[in-house]
Amino acid sequence: AFNITYENNAAAVTAPEGNYTVIFAAYDNGALADVKIKTVNVGAEGTVSVSTPEGFDTEGKTVKVMLWSSLNGMRPLCAADAA
């Protein structure tokens, strides 16, 4: 099962073992203001913490995080809004 949550400037990713892409997106009044991408490896434990990328501007913005198996498919496995 796939799950992602975002709290305290970090995403908690739960997924089967493998490599994934985490996209951090910040929106200002509905318009995309900033986006950062991190590649993560989920091991046998199934859950990893991914810190917010350096320079990612969240001040006064709505944040969404998305977990992707591949950017080629352009479909997130799951997504979460900031808590």
Side-chain angles (χ1 to χ4, degrees):
F2 295 99
N3 189 51
I4 191 166
T5 58
Y6 183 74
E7 291 183 272
N8 302 319
N9 292 319
V13 175
T14 302
E17 196 170 349
N19 293 315
Y20 299 93
T21 301
V22 178
I23 298 176
F24 294 80
Y27 295 88
D28 191 359
N29 292 319
L32 184 61
D34 195 7
V35 66
K36 299 283 190 221
I37 297 171
K38 277 192 163 181
T39 300
V40 298
N41 179 273
V42 177
E45 71 281 356
T47 301
V48 295
S49 179
V50 184
S51 60
T52 300
E54 255 186 73
F56 182 62
D57 180 18
T58 61
E59 190 66 35
K61 299 185 176 59
T62 301
V63 174
K64 183 176 283 275
V65 292
M66 293 161 273
L67 179 65
W68 296 67
S69 60
S70 167
L71 291 179
N72 296 334
M74 299 310 290
R75 289 199 122 109
L77 297 166
C78 56
D81 295 326

